[in-house]
Amino acid sequence: MAETERDTRAQAGQRWLQAMVETVLAEASIPLASSALHQPAVSWMTLPGARPTLSLWLAEEEAPRQLPFPRDVIEDCGAGIRRRHSYARSYIVRSLRQMGLVSS
């Protein structure tokens, strides 16, 4: 697979995962920080040797929450693999539950 195709899948996967995290937070009535306070409220960061991580600034919190994702999940979501979409949603809900943000 060409590096550009892999990058395209990763970017599409990050967009899909970010939208899914925002949807799960909205469904749980958990507000993100105002964009005036933190720019942006949701963003991706990747440190060398670490998993790509979605940084979440939630309203009323002083520091962002970190939600790391395996690279293969990101790429598979970007490729539109439905079973990975299902897994990713479960992973998101489970991770947010462990953070004490959602109850179901």
Side-chain angles (χ1 to χ4, degrees):
M1 177 174 5
E3 188 64 25
T4 56
E5 182 180 342
R6 188 173 188 187
D7 290 343
T8 300
R9 283 186 182 181
Q11 291 170 0
Q14 286 182 332
R15 285 190 303 271
W16 188 90
L17 288 164
Q18 182 171 335
M20 184 56 56
V21 168
E22 291 173 357
T23 297
V24 170
L25 290 172
E27 289 171 353
S29 299
I30 299 170
L32 293 168
S34 168
S35 60
L37 298 174
H38 308 289
Q39 290 282 345
V42 179
S43 63
W44 285 93
M45 55 188 243
T46 304
L47 301 173
R51 286 180 167 184
T53 300
L54 192 58
S55 179
L56 308 168
W57 281 98
L58 303 178
E60 314 273 333
E61 292 196 356
E62 295 182 19
R65 305 274 183 130
Q66 306 298 318
L67 185 56
F69 287 92
R71 293 178 197 280
D72 60 332
V73 170
I74 294 171
E75 290 176 17
D76 289 349
C77 286
I81 299 173
R82 289 184 187 251
R83 78 174 185 280
R84 289 303 250 183
H85 284 174
S86 178
Y87 169 81
R89 180 168 172 82
S90 296
Y91 175 84
I92 290 165
V93 170
R94 184 175 61 248
S95 297
L96 294 176
R97 186 179 309 124
Q98 289 172 347
M99 291 179 193
L101 297 174
V102 297
S103 58
S104 59

